[in-house]
Amino acid sequence: MPNLRDYRDRIKSVKSTRKITSAMKMVAASKLRRAQEQAEASQPYAQSMASMLSRLAGNVVINAASPKLLAGTGSDQRHLIVLVTADRGLCGGFNANAVKEARLKIKSLKAAGKDVTIICVGRKGYDSLNREFGSSIVRSFRDVFGKKRVEYAQASKISDFILAQFETGEFDVCTMIYNEFKSILVQKPLATQIIPFEVEKLGADDAQGTQKIKSPYDFEPTEEEILSKLLPRNIGVQLYSAMLDSAAGEQAARMTAMDNATRNAGEMINDLTLQYNRARQAYITKELIEIISGAEAI
């Protein structure tokens, strides 16, 4: 049975932990506001660019002369998975959810006989997948979320590497997996194909099953020339948007996790204090019994 000193040391230790978790919660809350504003500001641009490219692609007959980023390589044997996670932990299941989604995707592709390579953006994704899929990881980008703001230059560096891999024929299809920031309490793992570009569809079905978005405008220069210039940039834009979502989701998940940890520490302190008071009362009662028994014996 623990003595009184053990209880006091344990209470002191939990109080110190509560101070740390409370401080981390406040730091995450202060970073969350800035990251959330940055993520929300980027979403209209990324969505508008994807919609515009879909309308451009809707006016193009995809053939062998079309840009490779739109038409693809004609095969889907080789897949590249780009996993976006955080560089640090202590944020609940934020990283684990994205890694789980990536692991399921990789296993399903391998089960179908596909060749899979992986690019990890963020330290935690690499640490989680390295043991099981270490031979498939071709590049790991770390410390991309360490600064106050996520810069487009970081996303551009990663997108340049992805495009270089595509140009050399290292993969046919690229899928990006990240945590989409929906709210402070909800960050949903999302897998989206970025190479080849997926044209958005209208809600109504036509004779072929789906109907492409078609633009009523004429373009100068031609749609193919515009697409050849904008599709590579779209990779960087979509990756940048995913990194911003991941940065905001990380801070939201950390704030929630540290809030729960602080509350749990408070409940543990109350329980330990109650046990300490009971043990102290039992010790005092024992001492009184010994004194009274000694006095009666005399």
Side-chain angles (χ1 to χ4, degrees), residues 121-179:
V121 181
R123 186 185 303 271
K124 288 298 178 179
Y126 175 82
D127 293 343
S128 299
L129 295 180
N130 184 43
R131 178 176 298 181
E132 188 175 1
F133 304 107
S135 60
S136 300
I137 299 177
V138 296
R139 186 71 182 272
S140 175
F141 294 89
R142 304 185 180 189
D143 301 324
V144 295
F145 302 103
K147 299 181 179 180
K148 292 183 178 180
R149 295 173 60 90
V150 179
E151 302 293 341
Y152 179 77
Q154 298 167 321
S156 179
K157 178 181 177 182
I158 301 170
S159 66
D160 288 344
F161 179 79
I162 294 173
L163 290 171
Q165 291 276 301
F166 184 65
E167 289 298 326
T168 56
E170 297 296 329
F171 66 89
D172 302 312
V173 180
C174 178
T175 302
M176 181 172 60
I177 298 175
Y178 66 101
N179 283 301

Side-chain angles (χ1 to χ4, degrees), residues 31-291:
K31 290 182 177 180
L32 171 61
R33 182 178 179 181
R34 181 169 55 246
Q36 184 177 359
E37 290 176 352
Q38 194 178 8
E40 291 176 348
S42 72
Q43 288 176 357
Y45 181 80
Q47 293 170 358
S48 297
M49 187 168 190
S51 177
M52 179 191 65
L53 289 174
S54 292
R55 294 182 183 279
L56 276 168
N59 287 1
V60 174
V61 178
I62 300 177
N63 51 43
S66 300
K68 284 180 63 178
L69 291 175
L70 176 63
T73 62
S75 171
D76 65 344
Q77 176 61 30
R78 293 165 297 181
H79 286 255
L80 174 66
I81 303 297
V82 180
L83 174 61
V84 182
T85 58
D87 286 317
R88 297 185 298 164
L90 296 178
C91 48
F94 177 80
N95 294 312
N97 292 336
V99 170
K100 180 181 178 181
E101 183 73 18
R103 187 176 280 114
L104 292 174
K105 180 71 173 179
I106 294 168
K107 289 183 177 179
S108 66
L109 289 173
K110 286 182 175 291
K114 307 297 183 181
D115 300 325
V116 180
T117 53
I118 306 167
I119 292 177
C120 296
V121 181
R123 186 185 303 271
K124 288 298 178 179
Y126 175 82
D127 293 343
S128 299
L129 295 180
N130 184 43
R131 178 176 298 181
E132 188 175 1
F133 304 107
S135 60
S136 300
I137 299 177
V138 296
R139 186 71 182 272
S140 175
F141 294 89
R142 304 185 180 189
D143 301 324
V144 295
F145 302 103
K147 299 181 179 180
K148 292 183 178 180
R149 295 173 60 90
V150 179
E151 302 293 341
Y152 179 77
Q154 298 167 321
S156 179
K157 178 181 177 182
I158 301 170
S159 66
D160 288 344
F161 179 79
I162 294 173
L163 290 171
Q165 291 276 301
F166 184 65
E167 289 298 326
T168 56
E170 297 296 329
F171 66 89
D172 302 312
V173 180
C174 178
T175 302
M176 181 172 60
I177 298 175
Y178 66 101
N179 283 301
E180 182 183 17
F181 180 79
K182 289 187 171 294
S183 68
I184 294 177
L185 298 177
V186 180
Q187 299 88 41
K188 182 180 178 181
L190 180 65
T192 178
Q193 179 179 308
I194 57 176
I195 299 176
F197 179 75
E198 285 191 313
V199 181
E200 295 179 4
K201 306 294 183 181
L202 293 175
D205 293 344
D206 62 1
Q208 283 78 28
T210 56
Q211 184 179 3
K212 292 181 180 179
I213 297 176
K214 291 189 177 181
S215 175
Y217 306 108
D218 292 328
F219 294 93
E220 179 73 25
T222 63
E223 291 90 336
E224 289 83 355
E225 293 181 63
I226 298 175
L227 287 170
S228 65
K229 295 292 185 181
L230 291 185
L231 284 173
R233 178 168 294 186
N234 179 63
I235 305 300
V237 170
Q238 300 305 323
L239 181 59
Y240 182 53
S241 178
M243 291 171 63
L244 291 176
D245 268 23
S246 183
E250 176 193 354
Q251 300 303 331
R254 180 171 291 114
M255 185 184 70
T256 302
M258 291 302 102
D259 180 58
N260 292 334
T262 302
R263 293 184 181 184
N264 292 338
E267 294 176 359
M268 185 177 291
I269 290 171
N270 293 336
D271 292 340
L272 289 172
T273 301
L274 180 60
Q275 295 177 28
Y276 170 79
N277 290 334
R278 288 176 177 174
R280 181 171 176 271
Q281 185 63 46
Y283 179 78
I284 293 173
T285 302
K286 179 182 176 182
E287 290 291 327
L288 289 174
I289 292 175
E290 290 178 354
I291 292 172

Side-chain angles (χ1 to χ4, degrees), residues 1-13 272 275-276 279-280 283:
M1 181 178 178
N3 55 36
L4 296 180
R5 183 172 182 176
D6 293 336
Y7 281 118
R8 287 196 296 267
D9 291 344
R10 185 74 185 281
I11 292 172
K12 183 179 179 181
S13 175
L272 289 172
Q275 295 177 28
Y276 170 79
R280 181 171 176 271
Y283 179 78

